[in-house]
Amino acid sequence: MLSDQELAQYVESLVQHTAAQGGTGISADAVVRQLGAQLGVDLSPKAQLIRSVLVALLGPAAAPAPDPTGSRKDPFDPATAAAAGGPRAETPPQQMHFSTAAASSAPAPSPAVPHFFPQQHQHQMQYFLSAPQQYQHQQQQQRAGASPSPFDIPASYRYGHQPLPQADQAQLQRLVQLQHQQQQLAAAARVAAAAAPTPGESPRAPEPPPAPAPAASKKNSSASVGAKRKGGPGGLNKVCGVSPELQAIVGEPAMARTEIVKQLWAYIRRNNLQDPNNKRKIICNDELRLVFETDSTDMFQMNKLLSKHIRPLESKNDSKPEAKKLKPQGDEPISSVETDVNQLPLMVSDALATFFGTGEREMVHSEAVKRVWDHIKSNDLEDPENPTVILCDSKLKQLFGRESLTAHGVSELLSDHLYTQSTNI
DNA sequence: CTAGACAGGTCAGGAAACCT
DNA sequence: AGGTTTCCTGACCTGTCTAG
């Protein structure tokens, strides 16, 4: 079963691939044949749709000057339509020939893959960038053997042991942008697919549920996008950034919220962290304690606590950033700001620097907490009678100036030893 | 009267226990 | 067996209000 939307995306990928290979043009007929062979289905009934997608991608379009950023919205710029040799209305759909110049003029985005991507996955990443839908399709086919994701980032970066180099940050951002562009292009193709309702003749290819063609009674514009919000890339399925503490548990730097919750529950079961008497209760181990900042929680509170460790990948600088959310009554601190601060490297006090003994003078708060816990753990400093109490050894005494502290207090006390540059001065 | 702007409501997935 | 409980974000839908 291949939906029109998926087909549109496959067509888009093929066009990009052709352009990337140096191809100068492509016909709807060729697309029907190539894609049909590739997918193992007869796409001739879909020729009309394919033509519409090609028109949307290359037809009344092409860029005047290649966008230095490699943005692929260029093909939609009407300025170069003529130059690109757009299709003529009289030509039979299948034989229409579309120049891929537009697609190639906006150079097929093959940005440098950040070096932290394992060598063996660089090719995969390039493949993904040039043909995301095909790549995803291939991945689904190979689902059985769970090979490591090409997006895996070495643990040293993931857990903040090592700051991500500036250049890589920029590249990572670029990758996110590219993915966003892919989505936009796919959305455009979707619109084209929806707008290709077969002028006179019946589409005769309504496979699954007989597409309610007479649904023209519907509203209009926005209604036509009635692809139903069902597991799309947005909303709950939006990939969000994961805090270093949570990464240690779920294992990925970016996941959909639903996936994070799933992985978290898997971790809880794996480590037998549910209270046997009340399975709703979660008993935190060291890693979980870093995330939830408590010794135990329940499954309902868990989601709330989790939200502190999940944040959008892209900054909301565009569109309608604060339109809705913004109700800063001034009373409560804005948590997003708070969590952002948690991600900033802070200045380390002399005492703390001495405690670490590594000479590091900058550190993310969470990393400092983690290291202190490592010390507590490795020196067995938890009170055997009450694990929530930490019995300070000489080093901890020197750092915190007390004989004991609560597990809760570690993070709080560390705050006294970490400060921003501005507060330092 | 129509079109646009805006606000508020709904729904989506995921977990496990408990109640009917 | 099925509904309810908790919590999150954002797309989408519906209803209301305002301006032209």
Side-chain angles (χ1 to χ4, degrees):
Chain A
M1 291 294 181
L2 185 67
S3 70
D4 287 355
Q5 182 183 332
E6 288 171 323
L7 179 58
Q9 291 174 346
Y10 279 121
V11 172
E12 182 221 334
S13 293
L14 181 62
V15 168
Q16 286 168 7
H17 181 70
T18 304
Q21 298 287 316
T24 56
I26 193 166
S27 68
D29 192 34
V31 172
V32 168
R33 273 187 285 105
Q34 282 185 35
L35 220 44
Q38 202 173 330
L39 301 174
V41 291
D42 178 20
L43 293 178
S44 46
K46 301 275 190 181
Q48 186 75 27
L49 169 66
I50 290 172
R51 188 193 65 84
S52 299
V53 175
L54 286 172
V55 169
L57 289 171
L58 305 165
D67 183 344
T69 66
S71 164
R72 271 127 36 88
K73 63 183 178 180
D74 289 332
F76 296 98
D77 188 330
T80 44
R88 293 192 191 100
E90 312 83 39
T91 316
Q94 271 91 327
Q95 286 154 34
M96 279 186 181
H97 194 266
F98 296 84
S99 167
T100 56
S104 58
S105 68
S110 54
V113 177
H115 78 262
F116 53 72
F117 290 114
Q119 192 66 37
Q120 67 269 30
H121 295 314
Q122 301 251 336
H123 176 72
Q124 277 179 281
M125 176 53 91
Q126 291 287 1
Y127 182 22
F128 167 78
L129 289 171
S130 61
Q133 280 76 41
Q134 289 175 11
Y135 174 82
Q136 281 160 13
H137 181 70
Q138 184 202 59
Q139 291 297 301
Q140 280 166 6
Q141 305 275 345
Q142 299 173 347
R143 187 54 62 86
S147 57
S149 156
F151 307 106
D152 278 355
I153 298 175
S156 56
Y157 293 130
R158 285 222 314 255
Y159 303 125
H161 296 165
Q162 220 176 313
L164 196 59
Q166 194 74 32
D168 285 342
Q169 285 179 21
Q171 285 173 339
L172 198 55
Q173 188 133 13
R174 170 100 181 93
L175 289 176
V176 170
Q177 281 175 359
L178 273 169
Q179 288 181 49
H180 183 62
Q181 286 171 15
Q182 296 279 7
Q183 286 167 5
Q184 286 185 324
L185 207 55
R190 231 175 291 138
V191 171
T198 64
E201 57 188 12
S202 62
R204 88 157 62 147
E207 291 143 30
S217 61
K218 268 245 170 180
K219 268 270 176 120
N220 204 3
S221 57
S222 68
S224 70
V225 194
K228 283 288 167 262
R229 42 184 150 148
K230 211 185 151 187
L236 285 172
N237 295 307
K238 182 184 177 184
V239 176
C240 299
V242 175
S243 76
E245 297 93 331
L246 191 53
Q247 280 174 42
I249 288 166
V250 301
E252 296 285 339
M255 300 173 92
R257 171 179 282 273
T258 54
E259 195 61 27
I260 292 169
V261 174
K262 204 194 288 186
Q263 292 297 321
L264 185 58
W265 273 107
Y267 175 88
I268 289 168
R269 282 194 297 269
R270 203 163 52 235
N271 293 279
N272 202 21
L273 298 177
Q274 283 171 289
D275 187 334
N277 297 323
N278 179 7
K279 292 198 147 189
R280 290 181 178 190
K281 198 170 175 184
I282 312 294
I283 300 163
C284 299
N285 65 0
D286 291 341
E287 284 184 311
L288 224 43
R289 198 180 292 122
L290 282 176
V291 175
F292 294 148
E293 295 173 330
T294 181
D295 295 316
S296 68
T297 182
D298 65 66
M299 53 187 268
F300 296 141
Q301 282 187 317
M302 187 174 78
N303 284 304
K304 192 177 182 179
L305 294 169
L306 206 51
S307 63
K308 293 180 186 172
H309 293 268
I310 301 171
R311 67 184 59 82
L313 270 181
E314 296 170 80
S315 62
K316 304 181 176 183
N317 50 358
D318 52 311
S319 62
K320 39 172 186 181
E322 26 210 331
K324 266 188 182 177
K325 294 211 73 147
L326 195 68
K327 45 175 182 183
Q329 288 299 357
D331 288 337
E332 51 181 342
I334 299 172
S335 64
S336 67
V337 172
E338 202 171 63
T339 51
D340 282 350
V341 167
N342 286 337
Q343 295 305 304
L344 291 174
L346 300 168
M347 298 297 291
V348 172
S349 72
D350 291 340
L352 189 55
T354 307
F355 176 85
F356 290 140
T358 58
E360 290 167 274
R361 299 313 302 251
E362 271 190 13
M363 191 171 289
V364 174
H365 186 275
S366 58
E367 172 63 11
V369 174
K370 187 180 187 324
R371 291 207 197 176
V372 170
W373 270 106
D374 286 346
H375 175 82
I376 292 168
K377 208 58 186 156
S378 59
N379 291 281
D380 226 7
L381 300 179
E382 286 165 291
D383 188 339
E385 290 180 17
N386 183 1
T388 65
V389 175
I390 311 300
L391 304 172
C392 297
D393 63 356
S394 57
K395 281 187 76 175
L396 280 179
K397 276 181 201 166
Q398 197 173 347
L399 179 62
F400 295 132
R402 48 169 75 191
E403 294 289 326
S404 66
L405 60 145
T406 63
H408 247 80
V410 173
S411 174
E412 203 174 322
L413 287 168
L414 268 177
S415 300
D416 296 334
H417 292 277
L418 295 162
Y419 37 81
T420 59
Q421 302 221 5
S422 56
T423 54
N424 183 24
I425 297 172

